[in-house]
Amino acid sequence: MKEKFYLTTAIAYTSGKPHVGNTYEAILSDAVARFKRRQGYDVFFQTGTDEHGQKIEDKAKAAGKSPKQFVDEVAGEIKRIWDKMEVSYDKFIRTTDEDHVKQIQKIFKKLYEQGDIYKGEYEGWYCKPCESFWTESQLNGGKCPDCGREVKKAKEEAYFFKMSKYADRLMKYYDEHPEFITPVSRKNEMINNFLKPGLQDLCVSRSTFKWGIPVDFDDKHVVYVWLDALSNYITGIGYDADGNHGENYKKYWPADVHIIGKDIIRFHTIYWPIFLMALGEPLPKKVYGHGWLLQEGGKMSKSVGNVLYADDLADTFGVDAIRYYVLTAMPMESDGVISYESIIDEINGNLANVFGNLVSRTAAMINKYFGGSVYDAGAFEPIDQDLKEVVCGAYKKAAAKMDEYRIADAIEQVFTVFRRANKYIDETTPWILSKDESKKDRLKTVLYNLAESIIIGASLLNPFMPKATEKAAEIFGTKLRDYDIIETFGVNKEYKVVNDAEILFARIDKEKFMEELNAKQQANEQVKAQEELIGIEDFSKVKIKIAKVIACEKVEKSKKLLKLTVKIGDEQRTVVSGISNYYTPEELIGKKLAMIVNLKPAKLCGIESQGMIICAEDEKAGVVAYLSPEKDVEEGSQVF
RNA sequence: GGCGACGUAGCUUAGUUGGUUAGAGCGGCCGGUUCAUACCCGGCAGGUCGGCGGUUCGACUCCACCCGUCGCUACCA
């Protein structure tokens, strides 16, 4: 009987369209799922969407839609992208699914009835106008982060989960399963920051917004989104809080791995295991926290309009190329970087030149010398041995890397097959053999060895690039192999190659591409600039005046802040500005600079800031510069 | 502030319990080849393994300190 393997992605939050970095996780997980299937595991791969919470309620409202309407649209978009990227999930769960909702209510009730959840009082900082509770760390200079007004300590009724009760058991689980948190460096963060100081009980209900799963015995409250979201891993495969589990649950739980982003490791390695302990269910075997795929030259930002989306990139470069790229761009323990130039370099280098061209030249020779048909004619030469060893040895090396979730390294191992095969062509020089009638069998054997190497390599590459590798197999008139026979050379007895093999990966003219891209972006910016035109009445709301800095010092408690005392006409004000990385206090004293004077005051590190220095930022060069009048003007002069 | 990680060739990076000439890919330079998507193959470039000490017969790999970069520091997901 096949061994089971259950893996999941984190479910994607439906607050907006996922960028390529979010999509990376689905592709990564898919690569693992496909590799495991080739290895013969009975794989269940679950992904989906997390659709509740205040943020979504707010976003929907802003878009003039009902929350359900809103999440239907976004979830549809996410599913469409996953499908487009060939993510081969077995189940796509949505937290608005009826059976999920029902189970969450049952789970909440069960935990309440057994005393792990209790009713208490949530104490936080409350902003009355915004009707919002904030935590200490969310406050901005001691004030409401939304409106900047005063907040008050306030209490509200809420349900809490007794986290501390399970802390010792969790520690024990960490100790007994050293690979539970991967990379292990994250484990220390969890232990040192949370477990050692003592776990606080977690507030698991909300009553300040509605868009969530109602607590069925107390409908003022909705279930805290993380209890809702995390449980998808069991509800999606048929968990039942009453114990009448579905077949899939009995078969697949516990999960073999939860693949998640590094930002949510805490939820998956502390809260989730504790919820499971409380439910009396086994814990997942591993939580793998991957790094982030970042965009070159700073953050992706929707307002800047430089966000890369996987589906757009796939339209430009192809699904397989983007899958390959995002998988290889990620180092094991840190973040990866994505840029158009490096995508093109990878496509041209490894995909077109090494892999694609190998397929192309081999197919062409088989057609040219033998009319498209070739088999092992038995003309072995010692030089063949090394080729076969490299080709047949690649699986073990790649599989070892996959077991460590070092995907990029696994792919690198596969490429040694193609590199070795290219070298083999130079070593055996088929074009010279072809000129000697007596070497015909040798030539046939050489080309057969190449075809066989390509099929083995393509089979290994298949989990990462499903379509292109299948095409490669079609070119050689065969199918890709599962990994039980991947270490044997000579499985196929003969190859029949198609006549006009299509090019798997076209080379891209990088210079031309970048020029066209720049032209396109400039055009977009112009359009955008026009769209964002404002009237003079908008501008006149902002009062800018020239201020003279009469004193300046560093704010001790902070890294970035400077406290400035400025004179605007007869008035003296205190301003806090985050520019200490760019200016020393001495540099600023005596200077005249432009400042917004009618901004609502805000407390930063306990100091009230009564205005804002305006600065120009050159992100690329990392330069920040304040603006000052070109001629000397009296402080207090207005800027128009 | 507390805890932790990292800093290896122009770039991205491997380096397992310390041990002979520190590996690879990309880029660069030189040479070879023509089956192929101006591809492929070979060679070279020569990096004080962040800095300074220490332990050791011997350290990129262990310890201390310094410099730099980054992560986590709880109820927004």
Side-chain angles (χ1 to χ4, degrees), chain A residues 50 135 137 186 192-193 200 203 206 225 353 357 361 431 505 507:
Chain A
D50 176 12
T135 61
S137 62
R186 298 286 168 189
N192 292 334
N193 289 321
Q200 295 170 18
C203 179
R206 292 289 185 277
V225 280
N353 294 347
N357 185 47
R361 66 200 300 214
W431 54 92
F505 301 98
R507 287 179 60 80

Short mmCIF file of all heavy atoms in Angstrom, two decimals, chain A residues 50 135 137 186 192-193 200 203 206 225 353 357 361 431 505 507, chain B residues 2-3 34-37 39-41 71-77:
data_model
loop_
_atom_site.label_atom_id
_atom_site.label_comp_id
_atom_site.label_asym_id
_atom_site.label_seq_id
_atom_site.Cartn_x
_atom_site.Cartn_y
_atom_site.Cartn_z
N ASP A 50 -8.75 32.16 2.85
CA ASP A 50 -9.14 32.59 4.18
C ASP A 50 -9.97 33.86 3.98
O ASP A 50 -9.45 34.85 3.48
CB ASP A 50 -7.85 32.88 4.96
CG ASP A 50 -8.12 33.45 6.34
OD1 ASP A 50 -9.27 33.40 6.79
OD2 ASP A 50 -7.16 33.93 6.97
N THR A 135 -4.16 47.25 20.33
CA THR A 135 -3.20 46.76 21.32
C THR A 135 -2.15 47.83 21.52
O THR A 135 -2.01 48.74 20.71
CB THR A 135 -2.50 45.50 20.82
OG1 THR A 135 -1.79 45.83 19.64
CG2 THR A 135 -3.49 44.40 20.54
N SER A 137 0.97 47.72 21.05
CA SER A 137 1.96 47.83 19.97
C SER A 137 1.36 48.44 18.70
O SER A 137 2.08 48.92 17.84
CB SER A 137 2.54 46.46 19.65
OG SER A 137 1.52 45.60 19.21
N ARG A 186 13.98 29.37 13.35
CA ARG A 186 12.71 29.96 13.76
C ARG A 186 12.22 29.41 15.10
O ARG A 186 11.44 30.05 15.80
CB ARG A 186 11.63 29.68 12.70
CG ARG A 186 11.93 30.29 11.37
CD ARG A 186 11.73 31.78 11.40
NE ARG A 186 12.29 32.41 10.20
CZ ARG A 186 12.40 33.70 10.04
NH1 ARG A 186 12.04 34.51 11.00
NH2 ARG A 186 12.92 34.19 8.93
N ASN A 192 12.12 31.61 22.66
CA ASN A 192 12.63 32.74 23.43
C ASN A 192 11.62 33.87 23.61
O ASN A 192 11.58 34.51 24.65
CB ASN A 192 13.90 33.30 22.78
CG ASN A 192 15.04 32.33 22.88
OD1 ASN A 192 15.09 31.49 23.78
ND2 ASN A 192 15.96 32.40 21.93
N ASN A 193 10.83 34.10 22.57
CA ASN A 193 9.92 35.23 22.64
C ASN A 193 8.56 34.90 23.25
O ASN A 193 7.87 35.79 23.72
CB ASN A 193 9.70 35.83 21.26
CG ASN A 193 10.93 36.56 20.74
OD1 ASN A 193 11.60 37.23 21.50
ND2 ASN A 193 11.22 36.38 19.48
N GLN A 200 0.57 33.95 26.91
CA GLN A 200 -0.65 34.62 27.35
C GLN A 200 -1.85 33.91 26.74
O GLN A 200 -1.76 33.35 25.66
CB GLN A 200 -0.67 36.07 26.86
CG GLN A 200 0.41 36.93 27.46
CD GLN A 200 0.50 38.28 26.76
OE1 GLN A 200 -0.42 38.69 26.08
NE2 GLN A 200 1.63 38.95 26.94
N CYS A 203 -7.15 35.76 22.90
CA CYS A 203 -8.54 36.17 22.69
C CYS A 203 -9.03 35.55 21.38
O CYS A 203 -8.45 35.79 20.33
CB CYS A 203 -8.61 37.70 22.63
SG CYS A 203 -10.26 38.31 22.34
N ARG A 206 -14.37 37.98 18.53
CA ARG A 206 -14.42 39.42 18.27
C ARG A 206 -15.89 39.84 18.28
O ARG A 206 -16.75 39.09 17.82
CB ARG A 206 -13.84 39.72 16.88
CG ARG A 206 -12.34 39.48 16.76
CD ARG A 206 -11.55 40.52 17.52
NE ARG A 206 -10.12 40.35 17.32
CZ ARG A 206 -9.36 39.49 17.99
NH1 ARG A 206 -9.88 38.71 18.90
NH2 ARG A 206 -8.07 39.40 17.74
N VAL A 225 -10.40 34.98 13.60
CA VAL A 225 -10.07 34.43 12.28
C VAL A 225 -9.00 33.35 12.28
O VAL A 225 -9.02 32.46 11.45
CB VAL A 225 -9.64 35.51 11.27
CG1 VAL A 225 -10.84 36.19 10.70
CG2 VAL A 225 -8.68 36.49 11.87
N ASN A 353 19.19 27.56 -23.42
CA ASN A 353 20.50 27.06 -23.85
C ASN A 353 20.80 25.64 -23.36
O ASN A 353 21.25 24.80 -24.13
CB ASN A 353 21.62 27.98 -23.36
CG ASN A 353 21.54 29.36 -24.01
OD1 ASN A 353 20.83 29.54 -24.99
ND2 ASN A 353 22.26 30.31 -23.46
N ASN A 357 17.87 23.59 -25.79
CA ASN A 357 18.78 23.36 -26.91
C ASN A 357 19.28 21.91 -26.95
O ASN A 357 19.50 21.36 -28.02
CB ASN A 357 19.96 24.33 -26.83
CG ASN A 357 20.88 24.22 -28.02
OD1 ASN A 357 20.42 24.20 -29.15
ND2 ASN A 357 22.18 24.12 -27.75
N ARG A 361 18.86 19.82 -30.28
CA ARG A 361 19.98 19.28 -31.07
C ARG A 361 19.92 17.77 -31.12
O ARG A 361 20.25 17.17 -32.14
CB ARG A 361 21.32 19.80 -30.50
CG ARG A 361 21.65 19.29 -29.10
CD ARG A 361 22.68 20.14 -28.36
NE ARG A 361 23.98 20.22 -29.03
CZ ARG A 361 25.16 20.29 -28.39
NH1 ARG A 361 25.20 20.26 -27.06
NH2 ARG A 361 26.27 20.38 -29.06
N TRP A 431 28.56 14.22 -35.20
CA TRP A 431 28.68 14.69 -36.59
C TRP A 431 29.90 14.10 -37.30
O TRP A 431 29.90 13.97 -38.50
CB TRP A 431 28.70 16.22 -36.64
CG TRP A 431 29.78 16.84 -35.74
CD1 TRP A 431 31.03 17.17 -36.11
CD2 TRP A 431 29.64 17.14 -34.37
NE1 TRP A 431 31.72 17.67 -35.03
CE2 TRP A 431 30.88 17.67 -33.94
CE3 TRP A 431 28.61 17.01 -33.44
CZ2 TRP A 431 31.12 18.06 -32.62
CZ3 TRP A 431 28.84 17.42 -32.14
CH2 TRP A 431 30.08 17.94 -31.73
N PHE A 505 11.79 26.50 -25.24
CA PHE A 505 11.94 27.84 -24.65
C PHE A 505 12.67 28.73 -25.63
O PHE A 505 13.83 28.46 -25.97
CB PHE A 505 12.75 27.78 -23.34
CG PHE A 505 12.13 26.89 -22.31
CD1 PHE A 505 12.57 25.58 -22.15
CD2 PHE A 505 11.09 27.34 -21.51
CE1 PHE A 505 12.00 24.75 -21.21
CE2 PHE A 505 10.52 26.51 -20.57
CZ PHE A 505 10.97 25.21 -20.42
N ARG A 507 14.67 31.90 -26.86
CA ARG A 507 15.56 32.90 -26.26
C ARG A 507 14.90 34.28 -26.33
O ARG A 507 14.14 34.56 -27.24
CB ARG A 507 16.89 32.94 -27.02
CG ARG A 507 17.77 31.74 -26.77
CD ARG A 507 19.05 31.85 -27.57
NE ARG A 507 19.80 33.05 -27.21
CZ ARG A 507 20.57 33.17 -26.15
NH1 ARG A 507 20.73 32.15 -25.35
NH2 ARG A 507 21.20 34.29 -25.89
P G B 2 20.03 44.74 25.50
OP1 G B 2 21.02 44.36 26.53
OP2 G B 2 20.43 44.88 24.09
"O5'" G B 2 18.81 43.74 25.58
"C5'" G B 2 18.39 43.20 26.83
"C4'" G B 2 17.39 42.09 26.57
"O4'" G B 2 16.25 42.64 25.85
"C3'" G B 2 17.89 40.97 25.66
"O3'" G B 2 18.65 40.02 26.37
"C2'" G B 2 16.59 40.41 25.12
"O2'" G B 2 15.93 39.59 26.07
"C1'" G B 2 15.77 41.68 24.91
N9 G B 2 15.96 42.23 23.56
C8 G B 2 16.70 43.33 23.20
N7 G B 2 16.67 43.58 21.92
C5 G B 2 15.84 42.59 21.40
C6 G B 2 15.43 42.33 20.07
O6 G B 2 15.71 42.97 19.04
N1 G B 2 14.61 41.22 19.99
C2 G B 2 14.22 40.44 21.06
N2 G B 2 13.44 39.40 20.78
N3 G B 2 14.61 40.66 22.30
C4 G B 2 15.40 41.74 22.40
P C B 3 19.87 39.31 25.62
OP1 C B 3 20.59 38.51 26.64
OP2 C B 3 20.60 40.31 24.82
"O5'" C B 3 19.13 38.31 24.63
"C5'" C B 3 18.33 37.24 25.13
"C4'" C B 3 17.64 36.54 24.00
"O4'" C B 3 16.73 37.46 23.35
"C3'" C B 3 18.54 36.09 22.85
"O3'" C B 3 19.24 34.89 23.14
"C2'" C B 3 17.52 35.90 21.74
"O2'" C B 3 16.75 34.74 21.90
"C1'" C B 3 16.63 37.13 21.96
N1 C B 3 17.11 38.27 21.15
C2 C B 3 16.76 38.32 19.80
O2 C B 3 16.07 37.41 19.33
N3 C B 3 17.20 39.35 19.04
C4 C B 3 17.96 40.31 19.58
N4 C B 3 18.36 41.29 18.78
C5 C B 3 18.33 40.28 20.95
C6 C B 3 17.89 39.25 21.71
P U B 34 33.82 21.14 -36.63
OP1 U B 34 34.15 19.93 -37.41
OP2 U B 34 34.41 22.44 -36.97
"O5'" U B 34 32.24 21.32 -36.63
"C5'" U B 34 31.39 20.31 -36.11
"C4'" U B 34 30.02 20.93 -35.99
"O4'" U B 34 30.14 22.14 -35.25
"C3'" U B 34 29.42 21.28 -37.34
"O3'" U B 34 28.54 20.18 -37.61
"C2'" U B 34 28.72 22.63 -37.14
"O2'" U B 34 27.31 22.54 -37.00
"C1'" U B 34 29.28 23.12 -35.77
N1 U B 34 29.99 24.39 -35.72
C2 U B 34 29.28 25.50 -35.27
O2 U B 34 28.10 25.45 -34.99
N3 U B 34 30.02 26.65 -35.16
C4 U B 34 31.36 26.81 -35.45
O4 U B 34 31.89 27.90 -35.27
C5 U B 34 32.01 25.63 -35.94
C6 U B 34 31.32 24.48 -36.07
P C B 35 27.42 20.09 -38.64
OP1 C B 35 27.68 18.93 -39.50
OP2 C B 35 27.10 21.40 -39.27
"O5'" C B 35 26.23 19.75 -37.62
"C5'" C B 35 25.27 18.77 -37.97
"C4'" C B 35 24.38 18.56 -36.80
"O4'" C B 35 25.14 18.07 -35.67
"C3'" C B 35 23.75 19.83 -36.25
"O3'" C B 35 22.60 20.13 -37.01
"C2'" C B 35 23.37 19.42 -34.85
"O2'" C B 35 22.18 18.68 -34.83
"C1'" C B 35 24.53 18.49 -34.46
N1 C B 35 25.55 19.14 -33.62
C2 C B 35 25.29 19.28 -32.24
O2 C B 35 24.22 18.86 -31.79
N3 C B 35 26.22 19.85 -31.46
C4 C B 35 27.36 20.29 -31.98
N4 C B 35 28.23 20.85 -31.14
C5 C B 35 27.63 20.17 -33.38
C6 C B 35 26.71 19.60 -34.15
P A B 36 22.16 21.61 -37.25
OP1 A B 36 21.02 21.60 -38.20
OP2 A B 36 23.36 22.41 -37.53
"O5'" A B 36 21.60 22.04 -35.82
"C5'" A B 36 20.39 21.46 -35.32
"C4'" A B 36 20.19 21.99 -33.91
"O4'" A B 36 21.33 21.61 -33.11
"C3'" A B 36 20.14 23.52 -33.84
"O3'" A B 36 18.78 23.90 -33.89
"C2'" A B 36 20.72 23.83 -32.47
"O2'" A B 36 19.75 23.77 -31.44
"C1'" A B 36 21.69 22.65 -32.24
N9 A B 36 23.10 22.98 -32.51
C8 A B 36 23.73 23.16 -33.69
N7 A B 36 25.02 23.40 -33.58
C5 A B 36 25.24 23.37 -32.22
C6 A B 36 26.40 23.54 -31.44
N6 A B 36 27.60 23.78 -31.96
N1 A B 36 26.26 23.45 -30.09
C2 A B 36 25.05 23.20 -29.58
N3 A B 36 23.89 23.01 -30.21
C4 A B 36 24.05 23.11 -31.53
P U B 37 18.37 25.22 -34.64
OP1 U B 37 17.01 24.98 -35.15
OP2 U B 37 19.43 25.69 -35.55
"O5'" U B 37 18.32 26.20 -33.42
"C5'" U B 37 18.12 27.60 -33.65
"C4'" U B 37 18.28 28.32 -32.33
"O4'" U B 37 17.23 27.85 -31.45
"C3'" U B 37 19.56 27.98 -31.59
"O3'" U B 37 20.58 28.94 -31.83
"C2'" U B 37 19.17 27.97 -30.10
"O2'" U B 37 19.65 29.13 -29.40
"C1'" U B 37 17.66 28.11 -30.15
N1 U B 37 16.91 27.26 -29.21
C2 U B 37 16.28 27.95 -28.18
O2 U B 37 16.38 29.15 -28.04
N3 U B 37 15.54 27.17 -27.34
C4 U B 37 15.37 25.81 -27.43
O4 U B 37 14.65 25.25 -26.61
C5 U B 37 16.06 25.17 -28.51
C6 U B 37 16.80 25.92 -29.35
P C B 39 23.53 32.48 -27.73
OP1 C B 39 22.33 33.28 -28.06
OP2 C B 39 24.42 32.90 -26.63
"O5'" C B 39 23.04 31.01 -27.46
"C5'" C B 39 23.91 30.06 -26.94
"C4'" C B 39 23.43 28.70 -27.36
"O4'" C B 39 23.54 28.58 -28.80
"C3'" C B 39 24.32 27.61 -26.81
"O3'" C B 39 23.86 27.23 -25.51
"C2'" C B 39 24.16 26.51 -27.84
"O2'" C B 39 22.95 25.83 -27.66
"C1'" C B 39 24.10 27.32 -29.12
N1 C B 39 25.45 27.57 -29.67
C2 C B 39 25.97 26.72 -30.65
O2 C B 39 25.27 25.78 -31.04
N3 C B 39 27.20 26.94 -31.14
C4 C B 39 27.91 27.97 -30.69
N4 C B 39 29.12 28.17 -31.20
C5 C B 39 27.42 28.85 -29.69
C6 C B 39 26.19 28.62 -29.21
P C B 40 24.78 27.31 -24.27
OP1 C B 40 23.93 27.22 -23.08
OP2 C B 40 25.71 28.45 -24.40
"O5'" C B 40 25.62 25.98 -24.43
"C5'" C B 40 24.94 24.72 -24.51
"C4'" C B 40 25.87 23.70 -25.10
"O4'" C B 40 26.22 24.07 -26.46
"C3'" C B 40 27.21 23.60 -24.40
"O3'" C B 40 27.14 22.76 -23.27
"C2'" C B 40 28.07 22.98 -25.50
"O2'" C B 40 27.82 21.61 -25.65
"C1'" C B 40 27.56 23.73 -26.73
N1 C B 40 28.31 24.97 -26.98
C2 C B 40 29.53 24.90 -27.68
O2 C B 40 29.92 23.79 -28.06
N3 C B 40 30.23 26.03 -27.91
C4 C B 40 29.77 27.20 -27.47
N4 C B 40 30.51 28.28 -27.72
C5 C B 40 28.54 27.30 -26.75
C6 C B 40 27.85 26.18 -26.52
P C B 41 28.08 23.03 -22.01
OP1 C B 41 27.63 22.15 -20.93
OP2 C B 41 28.20 24.48 -21.78
"O5'" C B 41 29.50 22.52 -22.54
"C5'" C B 41 29.69 21.14 -22.86
"C4'" C B 41 31.09 20.94 -23.35
"O4'" C B 41 31.27 21.61 -24.62
"C3'" C B 41 32.17 21.56 -22.47
"O3'" C B 41 32.49 20.73 -21.38
"C2'" C B 41 33.32 21.68 -23.46
"O2'" C B 41 33.93 20.44 -23.71
"C1'" C B 41 32.58 22.13 -24.72
N1 C B 41 32.49 23.60 -24.82
C2 C B 41 33.61 24.31 -25.29
O2 C B 41 34.64 23.68 -25.58
N3 C B 41 33.55 25.66 -25.39
C4 C B 41 32.42 26.29 -25.06
N4 C B 41 32.41 27.62 -25.18
C5 C B 41 31.27 25.60 -24.57
C6 C B 41 31.35 24.27 -24.47
P G B 71 14.35 42.95 8.62
OP1 G B 71 13.19 43.20 7.74
OP2 G B 71 14.76 43.97 9.61
"O5'" G B 71 14.12 41.59 9.40
"C5'" G B 71 13.75 40.42 8.69
"C4'" G B 71 13.70 39.25 9.64
"O4'" G B 71 15.01 39.06 10.24
"C3'" G B 71 12.79 39.43 10.84
"O3'" G B 71 11.45 39.16 10.50
"C2'" G B 71 13.35 38.40 11.81
"O2'" G B 71 12.98 37.09 11.45
"C1'" G B 71 14.85 38.58 11.56
N9 G B 71 15.46 39.54 12.49
C8 G B 71 15.86 40.82 12.21
N7 G B 71 16.38 41.42 13.25
C5 G B 71 16.31 40.48 14.27
C6 G B 71 16.72 40.56 15.63
O6 G B 71 17.25 41.51 16.22
N1 G B 71 16.45 39.37 16.32
C2 G B 71 15.87 38.26 15.76
N2 G B 71 15.69 37.23 16.58
N3 G B 71 15.49 38.18 14.50
C4 G B 71 15.73 39.32 13.82
P C B 72 10.31 39.97 11.25
OP1 C B 72 9.06 39.65 10.54
OP2 C B 72 10.72 41.38 11.47
"O5'" C B 72 10.26 39.26 12.67
"C5'" C B 72 9.86 37.90 12.79
"C4'" C B 72 10.04 37.44 14.20
"O4'" C B 72 11.45 37.51 14.54
"C3'" C B 72 9.39 38.33 15.26
"O3'" C B 72 8.01 38.09 15.39
"C2'" C B 72 10.18 37.93 16.49
"O2'" C B 72 9.79 36.67 16.97
"C1'" C B 72 11.59 37.84 15.91
N1 C B 72 12.31 39.12 16.01
C2 C B 72 12.88 39.45 17.26
O2 C B 72 12.77 38.65 18.20
N3 C B 72 13.55 40.62 17.39
C4 C B 72 13.64 41.44 16.36
N4 C B 72 14.32 42.58 16.54
C5 C B 72 13.06 41.15 15.09
C6 C B 72 12.41 39.98 14.96
P U B 73 7.07 39.30 15.76
OP1 U B 73 5.72 38.75 15.83
OP2 U B 73 7.36 40.47 14.89
"O5'" U B 73 7.55 39.69 17.23
"C5'" U B 73 7.31 38.82 18.32
"C4'" U B 73 7.90 39.41 19.57
"O4'" U B 73 9.32 39.61 19.37
"C3'" U B 73 7.40 40.80 19.93
"O3'" U B 73 6.16 40.74 20.59
"C2'" U B 73 8.51 41.30 20.84
"O2'" U B 73 8.41 40.76 22.13
"C1'" U B 73 9.75 40.71 20.14
N1 U B 73 10.35 41.71 19.24
C2 U B 73 11.28 42.57 19.82
O2 U B 73 11.62 42.50 20.98
N3 U B 73 11.80 43.50 18.96
C4 U B 73 11.48 43.67 17.63
O4 U B 73 12.04 44.56 17.00
C5 U B 73 10.52 42.75 17.12
C6 U B 73 9.99 41.82 17.93
P A B 74 5.23 41.98 20.68
OP1 A B 74 5.60 42.91 19.60
OP2 A B 74 5.16 42.44 22.06
"O5'" A B 74 3.82 41.33 20.34
"C5'" A B 74 3.58 40.75 19.07
"C4'" A B 74 2.46 39.78 19.22
"O4'" A B 74 2.93 38.58 19.87
"C3'" A B 74 1.33 40.30 20.12
"O3'" A B 74 0.46 41.06 19.32
"C2'" A B 74 0.70 39.01 20.62
"O2'" A B 74 -0.18 38.47 19.67
"C1'" A B 74 1.92 38.08 20.73
N9 A B 74 2.51 37.97 22.06
C8 A B 74 3.32 38.85 22.71
N7 A B 74 3.74 38.43 23.88
C5 A B 74 3.15 37.18 24.00
C6 A B 74 3.18 36.21 25.01
N6 A B 74 3.90 36.33 26.13
N1 A B 74 2.47 35.08 24.81
C2 A B 74 1.77 34.95 23.68
N3 A B 74 1.67 35.79 22.66
C4 A B 74 2.38 36.89 22.89
P C B 75 -0.45 42.17 20.01
OP1 C B 75 -0.10 43.46 19.38
OP2 C B 75 -0.45 42.09 21.47
"O5'" C B 75 -1.85 41.74 19.44
"C5'" C B 75 -1.94 41.14 18.14
"C4'" C B 75 -3.06 40.15 18.14
"O4'" C B 75 -2.77 39.12 19.09
"C3'" C B 75 -4.37 40.75 18.60
"O3'" C B 75 -5.10 41.18 17.46
"C2'" C B 75 -5.08 39.60 19.25
"O2'" C B 75 -5.85 38.87 18.32
"C1'" C B 75 -3.94 38.70 19.73
N1 C B 75 -3.70 38.73 21.19
C2 C B 75 -4.67 38.17 22.04
O2 C B 75 -5.70 37.72 21.54
N3 C B 75 -4.43 38.15 23.37
C4 C B 75 -3.31 38.64 23.85
N4 C B 75 -3.13 38.60 25.17
C5 C B 75 -2.31 39.23 23.01
C6 C B 75 -2.55 39.25 21.69
P C B 76 -4.55 42.46 16.65
OP1 C B 76 -3.10 42.46 16.48
OP2 C B 76 -5.19 43.64 17.25
"O5'" C B 76 -5.17 42.16 15.20
"C5'" C B 76 -6.06 43.07 14.61
"C4'" C B 76 -5.78 43.11 13.13
"O4'" C B 76 -4.50 43.73 12.90
"C3'" C B 76 -5.63 41.74 12.48
"O3'" C B 76 -6.90 41.22 12.16
"C2'" C B 76 -4.85 42.07 11.23
"O2'" C B 76 -5.69 42.58 10.22
"C1'" C B 76 -3.93 43.19 11.72
N1 C B 76 -2.57 42.71 12.03
C2 C B 76 -1.64 42.65 10.97
O2 C B 76 -2.00 42.98 9.85
N3 C B 76 -0.38 42.22 11.23
C4 C B 76 -0.03 41.86 12.47
N4 C B 76 1.20 41.44 12.67
C5 C B 76 -0.96 41.91 13.55
C6 C B 76 -2.21 42.35 13.29
P A B 77 -7.20 39.71 12.46
OP1 A B 77 -8.44 39.65 13.25
OP2 A B 77 -5.99 39.03 12.96
"O5'" A B 77 -7.53 39.24 10.98
"C5'" A B 77 -6.98 38.05 10.48
"C4'" A B 77 -6.22 38.36 9.21
"O4'" A B 77 -5.25 39.41 9.48
"C3'" A B 77 -5.38 37.19 8.75
"O3'" A B 77 -6.17 36.34 7.92
"C2'" A B 77 -4.23 37.84 8.03
"O2'" A B 77 -4.60 38.23 6.73
"C1'" A B 77 -4.01 39.08 8.88
N9 A B 77 -3.03 38.85 9.94
C8 A B 77 -3.25 38.63 11.27
N7 A B 77 -2.15 38.46 11.98
C5 A B 77 -1.14 38.59 11.06
C6 A B 77 0.27 38.54 11.17
N6 A B 77 0.91 38.31 12.31
N1 A B 77 0.99 38.70 10.05
C2 A B 77 0.35 38.91 8.89
N3 A B 77 -0.97 39.00 8.65
C4 A B 77 -1.67 38.84 9.80
#
